[in-house]
Amino acid sequence: MAAPLFVLDVKEKETSEAIVPSFPQIRSGTSGFPEHKKRTKVSAFKQKRQGAQPDDKTPKVFLSSSDKPLSPPNHGPKPAPTGQSFKANEKSNIDRENSQRLASMSPQEIEQARQELFNGLDPSILQMLMKRANLDEGVAPSVFDQPQPTPEATSSQSEQADTAPEIRIEDTSISIKANPNPLPNKAPTVPHTANDDSNSANIPPKPHLPEAKDKDSQPTTNPDDDSAPAVPPKEYIINASDHESAHWPRAPQPADLDPSSPDFLQNLHAKYFPSLPADPSKLAWMAPLPTPHSPADRDSPYYPGQSSLPISALRFSFRGSLLPPRISRAVPVSKGLHHHGEAPEAAGYTIRELARLARSAVPGQRCIAYQTLGRILYRLGKGEWGGVRQDDVSMGIWREFEEGAVLRSLHEEVGTEEGGGRGHRSARAFATEAIWLLEKGGWKDKLKKA
């Protein structure tokens, strides 16, 4: 059960007088800008670089003409102290700052800070810190402290440090006078001392440098080099005479294809598709045009020598005019009226072919079909091919329109909105124009009167 809520009086705390904030006083310099703060405390980096090195531990350089050592030049700040002294200085500085801060705090403040630490830290962490604390020595041992050197190692290092190595350099002026023709590229000799034996074990051996070769000597090849040789080996060179002597079996190659050959389709299938079954009907559109007045040409449905032609075989131009067989064969290919239809040698389109293009998914093909069909309907209404009697050519052309459902395709195109996947603005405009040409020609009125 939840505890009841009590409404108590609001008690205000007693506040002391507010302290007015004061801004730091900045001393302006002679130039009008504040002066920079002078750093009185030397940084740790500068202390490390200003570390002193005893004079007796520096190496001494002697000349062969005198036994007095040369004075080493002064190159600026002294070398830095060792890592142990720097770490000890940092520890002492931190300890001194902590002691000063504790001395400036009252016992109540110390007890309050202690309670804040006990309340904010985990008990297990407090127990671990209290175990590591060493109040007697002042500094607790750390796992990161470096191991102390043994007395034997300390004594050996001090002996080596006290005895600095001596380096002797011969005076070149004296040697030139004694020997006027010295050998070139001769290194100065350094006398062997007893200290060299002790330091030779720590000096790594010099790398072996190959001697200079004469210019006339030929370069040797490196077996580890991956670059291509200048001249390939003889065993990798293949001569043309080796191919002629060897027997290489070759598959029989068919002859080159001739598009004008009557067996072009059979040769094409045998060369590129020998493993597939042959279907001449699918390759009929690729067959070459028959020779004029040949037996194949006489079998064409639009051959000029025929006594009569069916209405379905009549061909029209893009202007809607009728193309007789003789004129259809005289039209050049550049007019764009030839296609792979039932009579590829004849130019023009039949009503059935235009009706098929009117149902195409390509908007450009539908536009051409609608425009041509509209012009044919206009000429049909004007009576260019006869009247409305049953034995007239015009009635046969109108029956082709009805069988191909041309008017239904035109109305569907007009009623289709744009953006629906099939709707096209130009196709709808040409379909609207074809319906208007049908009304303008007056073919429907003639059918009603008949």
Side-chain angles (χ1 to χ4, degrees):
M1 184 175 180
L5 299 178
F6 297 97
V7 180
L8 303 177
D9 296 336
V10 178
K11 295 183 179 180
E12 297 184 358
K13 296 182 179 180
E14 296 181 359
T15 58
S16 59
E17 186 178 356
I19 300 175
V20 180
S22 61
F23 296 96
Q25 301 295 331
I26 302 176
R27 293 180 300 174
S28 61
T30 57
S31 60
F33 295 94
E35 296 182 354
H36 68 278
K37 183 179 179 181
K38 296 183 179 180
R39 301 179 182 272
T40 57
K41 183 179 178 181
V42 182
S43 63
F45 179 74
K46 190 173 182 181
Q47 292 178 3
K48 187 176 181 180
R49 294 194 60 182
Q50 291 181 353
Q53 184 177 0
D55 296 338
D56 54 351
K57 295 184 180 180
T58 57
K60 299 178 181 180
V61 181
F62 294 86
L63 294 175
S64 60
S65 58
S66 62
D67 295 336
K68 296 181 179 181
L70 296 177
S71 59
N74 187 12
H75 294 289
K78 298 180 182 180
T82 59
Q84 291 291 340
S85 60
F86 175 74
K87 189 174 182 180
N89 293 336
E90 288 296 324
K91 286 183 178 181
S92 61
N93 293 336
I94 295 173
D95 183 57
R96 183 171 63 255
E97 291 178 1
N98 294 337
S99 301
Q100 292 177 0
R101 185 171 182 180
L102 288 174
S104 63
M105 295 173 64
S106 62
Q108 292 81 4
E109 293 177 350
I110 295 175
E111 184 64 24
Q112 183 180 0
R114 182 181 178 185
Q115 293 297 331
E116 290 179 358
L117 291 176
F118 285 170
N119 296 333
L121 295 178
D122 189 75
S124 59
I125 299 178
L126 288 174
Q127 186 178 3
M128 180 186 66
L129 294 176
M130 293 179 67
K131 286 182 179 180
R132 293 185 57 186
N134 193 350
L135 302 179
D136 296 334
E137 296 182 2
V139 180
S142 176
V143 295
F144 301 101
D145 294 341
Q146 298 182 359
Q148 299 294 334
T150 58
E152 294 78 1
T154 306
S155 59
S156 61
Q157 291 179 1
S158 60
E159 291 177 359
Q160 293 180 3
D162 294 339
T163 59
E166 297 181 358
I167 303 174
R168 292 185 176 275
I169 303 175
E170 293 185 357
D171 195 353
T172 56
S173 60
I174 300 176
S175 61
I176 290 174
K177 293 178 180 179
N179 188 8
N181 297 323
L183 294 176
N185 301 330
K186 184 176 181 182
T189 59
V190 180
H192 182 74
T193 59
N195 296 329
D196 295 343
D197 297 336
S198 60
N199 297 330
S200 61
N202 299 327
I203 299 175
K206 296 181 179 181
H208 175 69
L209 299 178
E211 298 180 358
K213 298 182 180 179
D214 299 338
K215 296 182 179 180
D216 299 337
S217 61
Q218 298 180 356
T220 58
T221 59
N222 187 5
D224 296 335
D225 191 5
D226 295 336
S227 60
V231 180
K234 295 182 179 180
E235 57 269 15
Y236 292 103
I237 299 177
I238 301 176
N239 299 324
S241 59
D242 299 339
H243 291 281
E244 297 177 358
S245 60
H247 172 67
W248 303 99
R250 295 182 180 180
Q253 297 294 331
D256 295 336
L257 298 178
D258 185 10
S260 60
S261 174
D263 300 333
F264 171 73
L265 298 179
Q266 290 78 2
N267 298 336
L268 179 66
H269 183 270
K271 183 175 183 179
Y272 295 105
F273 313 101
S275 59
L276 298 180
D279 190 358
S281 61
K282 293 183 179 180
L283 301 178
W285 65 274
M286 299 181 61
L289 296 179
T291 307
H293 306 290
S294 63
D297 188 22
R298 294 177 184 275
D299 295 338
S300 174
Y302 216 56
Y303 180 66
Q306 298 181 17
S307 59
S308 62
L309 293 173
I311 298 296
S312 60
L314 296 178
R315 295 182 173 271
F316 299 87
S317 65
F318 290 140
R319 292 181 177 271
S321 60
L322 181 63
L323 294 177
R326 181 177 53 82
I327 299 177
S328 178
R329 294 206 171 193
V331 175
V333 184
S334 58
K335 296 297 183 180
L337 293 172
H338 293 79
H339 55 86
H340 301 284
E342 296 181 356
E345 73 282 353
Y349 288 84
T350 62
I351 301 298
R352 294 183 181 180
E353 292 172 351
L354 291 173
R356 193 180 303 113
L357 288 177
R359 294 188 293 270
S360 173
V362 182
Q365 294 180 352
R366 298 202 306 271
C367 291
I368 294 176
Y370 295 154
Q371 186 182 38
T372 306
L373 290 171
R375 293 174 179 179
I376 295 173
L377 289 173
Y378 180 78
R379 292 176 183 270
L380 183 65
K382 291 298 182 180
E384 291 189 5
W385 304 305
V388 292
R389 292 181 300 179
Q390 296 295 328
D391 55 348
D392 290 342
V393 177
S394 57
M395 290 302 297
I397 295 176
W398 177 247
R399 282 192 290 269
E400 291 292 326
F401 273 92
E402 292 179 344
E403 292 178 2
V406 174
L407 296 180
R408 185 177 64 184
S409 300
L410 293 175
H411 288 286
E412 287 179 357
E413 186 69 37
V414 172
T416 304
E417 297 293 336
E418 297 181 17
R422 179 181 170 85
H424 193 268
R425 180 175 298 180
S426 298
R428 186 172 60 176
F430 282 113
T432 306
E433 180 187 4
I435 296 174
W436 180 81
L437 289 174
L438 175 62
E439 300 291 339
K440 187 71 174 177
W443 177 252
K444 283 190 175 181
D445 296 338
K446 292 180 180 181
L447 290 178
K448 290 180 182 178
K449 293 179 181 179

